[in-house]
Amino acid sequence: MTTYTEFYRRSIDEPDDFWAEQASLIDWEKPFERVRDYGSPPFTRWFVGGLTNLCHNAIDRHLANRADQTALIWVSTETGQEETYSFGDLHAEVQTMAAIILSLGVKRGDRVLIYMPMIPQAVFAMLACARIGAVHSVVFGGFASSSLASRIEDARPTLIISADAGCRAGKVIPYKPLLDEALELVSTRPAKVLIVDRGLAPTPMRAHRDESYISLRQEFLGATVACEWLESSSPSYTLYTSGTTGNPKAVQRDTGGYSVALAASMKHIFCGSPGETFFTTSDIGWVVGHSYIVYGPLIAGMATLLYEGLPTRPDPGIWWRLVEKYKVTTMFSSPTAIRVMKQHENESLFEADLSSLRSLYLAGEPLDVPTGKWINGALRKPIIDNYWQTESGWPILALANGVESADSKFGSPGLPMYGFSVRLIDDQTGEEITVANRKGILIIDGPLPPGCIQTIANDDERFVKTYWSKVRGRYVYSTFDWGVRDEDGYYFILGRADDVINVAGHRLGTREIEETISGHPNVAEVAVVGVADPLKGQVAVAFITVKDRSAVAASEGASTQKHEILKLVELRLGAIARPARVLFVPALPKTRSGKLLRRAIQAIYEGREPGNITTIEDPSVLGAIAESVIPT
Ligand code: AMP
């Protein structure tokens, strides 16, 4: 049996042979001519010249052996619906959706923006785009109209697919009015909008633009639409993510490399086999949803469970009952969801039969040791913390138990995954840190393995400038995360080194929130920082100086302005970006050159020493900040 050390070594030292072997896990219409092309670093093309299709690999190739096996299970505890689709059913639904999309004028290479709740039609839409070679861009349903508008503006989609409404905690959240508002804000509008009417909210349709999925489905029922064979490096989708500027970045992914990366990860990391059931509790609007709700499990011939609802409704035992009912073998969730569950530990949480479940994978944010130990004790199953980013598309750090089983260490997402040449560098000198237990920035030597970000859509320059630097003539990719490595080679992630914060596993750029808050007429300056939170890992807190202090002098005035500011964020960015607290302060700490000292603010809020503040212009400002954070 191969050891993981040897498996990993081959992936780094003999990448062509290694990845050519992995590439046999998927179907190729035409074999590739070269495993990779790194002739123009840091851009990488994988499986050059090969023709394939993501939808074919997710559905069609399974039809011969498992057309009747379950492919998609949908459970909505919001609407009380449960539906099951076999691979054969999914094949039919996706072809119908593909025929509808084509009838609305979408051609190969066009962009389709998907703004949808967690319903099967969202999955059909993604797979249908992949089938016809259209590039989908799923925008998280929780984003408000301005965020949606900026993404529409950037993506310039030919078609938008949406629904009348989503549902959260029993409350209907209309999507269509938000979409209509967003479409008012953009300069170029798509000719067509396809609406899935779930019958949850009134949905006025705009003549000549809005089309009903229900009527078109009737028309195209039974349609056959063949897969478009795409060159391996043709883009499959873009997905927006926050970065160090207010402008979201459209992470672009290829087709062949992504299919291979997912197929390999399902085998080596998630240990999934055809006929089993995978349950990922994320949202299709996030990268985990793309890779491990939709494409990964289906590529592996597994059933995937799509869940609309909260982990705690109707009661906190719901997910575990679903594990029993659908014989889930592999589950993937987030530390925040587990912390929410832990709050209910005195209720009968784990009464279901969990014998089918092999492991629980957790990602998206640091898994604190107490939470890891608690869920491990409760489930008595391996807990596999894994670290990755929207950009990577699949785990950078994890355990490859499908190659050789290794012990989890609480607090660590494990070892570098095959293909990722992970290193730590000193943030000041750029020198590699070779000793154990010394903090540095986590970087990856180029080229990145298959499945990772190809570029930022339409902005190669921003891609290179944002992520890549040259160290001794070689391109290295920065993750912007701090990390340390122990004596056994296990990594520990210590948080972001930039102004991205992680709230309940969701990545937010503080700059975007700051820009929004600056739009309030009485705001002079604002600093948004992420501070530790026992439930969500981190929450955003806004420190604000105002133009007219008399407006916030009395508590009534202050609370009106806080309310206005929070409303502004909710309207522009969505409730997800709402700071947990808004604090009015007399001044913000800055360096003499005028740079905001966010880390000092964060430290004070968290009750730590503000660290090296020798560059601060006026140290007395810190005292006022400390006073403001005392809960009132
Ligand atoms: P996203 O692109 O939204 O998936 O966010 C990626 C960021 O989430 C990473 O850069 C890390 O800061 C954080 N992250 C993801 N997974 C983990 C993990 N297992 N442990 C610690 N931080 C994580």
Side-chain angles (χ1 to χ4, degrees):
M1 204 191 104
T2 328
T3 61
Y4 183 66
T5 313
E6 172 56 14
F7 189 80
Y8 178 79
R9 188 203 60 75
R10 273 197 71 221
S11 76
I12 303 297
D13 296 346
E14 299 153 28
D16 284 9
D17 289 349
F18 179 90
W19 286 110
E21 277 166 31
Q22 305 305 319
S24 67
L25 293 169
I26 66 156
D27 275 4
W28 294 91
E29 171 66 9
K30 176 175 166 273
F32 44 90
E33 289 142 25
R34 269 175 82 186
V35 176
R36 67 177 182 171
D37 172 4
Y38 196 50
S40 167
F43 299 93
T44 319
R45 292 171 66 206
W46 285 98
F47 311 114
V48 183
L51 294 184
T52 189
N53 181 287
L54 255 178
C55 183
H56 168 86
N57 281 296
I59 303 177
D60 299 47
R61 73 175 175 135
H62 301 304
L63 294 175
N65 298 325
R66 53 184 56 86
D68 296 330
Q69 277 179 20
T70 305
L72 176 66
I73 302 156
W74 178 52
V75 176
S76 173
T77 49
E78 296 290 345
T79 60
Q81 287 164 285
E82 259 180 69
E83 291 171 5
T84 297
Y85 299 83
S86 66
F87 277 95
D89 298 335
L90 190 58
H91 187 232
E93 292 291 352
V94 168
Q95 288 188 91
T96 301
M97 183 65 94
I100 296 174
I101 295 177
L102 287 169
S103 79
L104 298 178
V106 175
K107 295 182 301 300
R108 176 178 172 153
D110 286 349
R111 266 110 30 230
V112 174
L113 193 134
I114 299 174
Y115 179 62
M116 284 177 109
M118 293 282 281
I119 54 176
Q121 290 75 14
V123 177
F124 305 159
M126 291 167 76
L127 289 160
C129 287
R131 190 170 192 87
I132 62 171
V135 178
H136 63 68
S137 187
V138 182
V139 174
F140 175 58
F143 281 132
S145 51
S146 305
S147 297
L148 176 59
S150 63
R151 287 156 175 82
I152 297 173
E153 194 82 85
D154 186 76
R156 298 182 178 267
T158 307
L159 170 72
I160 296 182
I161 308 181
S162 189
D164 58 338
C167 217
R168 197 174 158 79
K171 207 175 131 214
V172 170
I173 302 160
Y175 277 38
K176 179 70 170 30
L178 289 177
L179 175 60
D180 286 340
E181 249 173 70
L183 285 170
E184 289 303 313
L185 298 172
V186 297
S187 59
T188 347
R189 296 178 187 86
K192 292 289 176 190
V193 171
L194 179 66
I195 297 291
V196 179
D197 190 352
R198 309 172 68 190
L200 291 177
T203 310
M205 301 286 270
R206 178 164 306 185
H208 310 299
R209 187 195 73 184
D210 297 348
E211 300 284 346
S212 152
Y213 167 73
I214 295 178
S215 345
L216 287 171
R217 181 173 178 272
Q218 284 307 319
E219 197 179 322
F220 289 100
L221 220 51
T224 52
V225 177
C227 288
E228 283 279 338
W229 297 114
L230 305 173
E231 201 278 330
S232 178
S233 30
S234 311
S236 57
Y237 69 77
T238 64
L239 181 58
Y240 287 95
T241 194
S242 310
T244 47
T245 69
N247 286 347
K249 296 176 288 204
V251 169
Q252 181 177 308
R253 222 169 307 279
D254 74 351
T255 297
Y258 187 50
S259 309
V260 171
L262 290 183
S265 73
M266 290 306 296
K267 181 173 176 200
H268 307 308
I269 304 174
F270 296 99
C271 314
S273 299
E276 296 180 341
T277 307
F278 205 94
F279 177 18
T280 297
T281 68
S282 181
D283 189 283
I284 48 149
W286 308 123
V287 67
V288 175
H290 281 61
S291 293
Y292 297 111
I293 294 176
V294 183
Y295 293 114
L298 293 175
I299 286 176
M302 296 174 83
T304 183
L305 202 161
L306 180 76
Y307 177 78
E308 181 184 46
L310 298 181
T312 45
R313 256 177 55 107
D315 62 79
I318 176 67
W319 282 358
W320 311 110
R321 289 200 299 281
L322 292 175
V323 168
E324 174 180 334
K325 180 167 180 184
Y326 293 106
K327 302 212 168 17
V328 171
T329 47
T330 323
M331 192 163 161
F332 192 152
S333 191
S334 70
T336 293
I338 303 302
R339 286 192 291 264
V340 167
M341 217 161 261
K342 188 164 177 274
Q343 290 188 316
H344 299 268
E345 61 188 326
N346 296 329
E347 297 165 42
S348 38
L349 269 177
F350 303 103
E351 282 181 347
D353 173 5
L354 303 179
S355 53
S356 62
L357 187 69
R358 281 195 299 264
S359 315
L360 172 67
Y361 292 78
L362 296 173
E365 56 180 314
L367 172 62
D368 57 287
V369 176
T371 303
K373 285 195 169 155
W374 175 77
I375 191 67
N376 180 237
L379 296 177
R380 287 187 298 277
K381 312 271 179 184
I383 306 301
I384 315 223
D385 181 359
N386 55 113
Y387 159 88
W388 45 302
Q389 307 182 309
T390 305
E391 290 82 351
S392 70
W394 59 284
I396 298 168
L397 300 172
L399 297 178
N401 283 343
V403 180
E404 181 190 21
S405 84
D407 289 333
S408 302
K409 281 195 192 189
F410 288 108
S412 163
L415 306 166
M417 286 298 91
Y418 49 92
F420 288 102
S421 182
V422 176
R423 295 172 199 281
L424 291 171
I425 55 162
D426 185 298
D427 68 317
Q428 299 297 324
T429 63
E431 289 298 313
E432 184 175 351
I433 296 171
T434 48
V435 293
N437 302 317
R438 223 182 89 203
K439 178 175 162 179
I441 301 281
L442 200 97
I443 57 118
I444 303 165
D445 277 343
L448 294 175
C452 295
I453 180 170
Q454 255 187 321
T455 188
I456 293 174
N458 306 318
D459 205 342
D460 287 349
E461 201 185 318
R462 187 173 175 205
F463 169 65
V464 179
K465 241 165 109 185
T466 305
Y467 297 105
W468 297 90
S469 49
K470 260 187 166 173
V471 177
R472 281 190 217 95
R474 283 199 67 172
Y475 274 100
V476 299
Y477 168 91
S478 178
T479 62
F480 299 103
D481 280 303
W482 292 105
V484 296
R485 185 182 51 238
D486 72 7
E487 302 76 10
D488 301 325
Y490 280 63
Y491 282 78
F492 293 76
I493 301 295
L494 308 172
R496 296 282 300 197
D498 60 3
D499 50 13
V500 164
I501 61 170
N502 197 311
V503 179
H506 300 155
R507 176 164 154 185
L508 297 171
T510 52
R511 204 64 72 80
E512 208 177 352
I513 308 175
E514 285 171 2
E515 278 172 20
T516 303
I517 292 178
S518 304
H520 185 279
N522 198 28
V523 169
E525 267 192 308
V526 51
V528 172
V529 297
V531 299
D533 179 81
L535 193 63
K536 297 181 171 177
Q538 261 190 331
V539 290
V541 175
F543 293 80
I544 295 172
T545 62
V546 290
K547 293 176 188 156
D548 173 11
R549 277 212 58 91
S550 67
V552 297
S555 68
E556 210 174 298
S559 94
T560 309
Q561 299 234 318
K562 276 181 195 175
H563 182 75
E564 285 170 13
I565 288 166
L566 290 174
K567 206 74 216 150
L568 194 64
V569 175
E570 208 174 303
L571 281 174
R572 292 261 172 88
L573 303 176
I576 184 179
R578 247 173 87 106
R581 285 184 82 187
V582 170
L583 300 169
F584 295 115
V585 291
L588 291 171
K590 288 188 194 159
T591 61
R592 278 178 214 107
S593 59
K595 240 177 109 197
L596 268 174
L597 287 161
R598 294 160 206 275
R599 273 192 218 135
I601 303 177
Q602 181 194 43
I604 291 172
Y605 195 100
E606 292 177 349
R608 293 181 283 112
E609 282 300 313
N612 182 2
I613 47 159
T614 45
T615 53
I616 192 167
E617 190 185 17
D618 176 7
S620 71
V621 167
L622 296 177
I625 296 272
E627 260 172 51
S628 77
V629 304
I630 298 165
T632 45

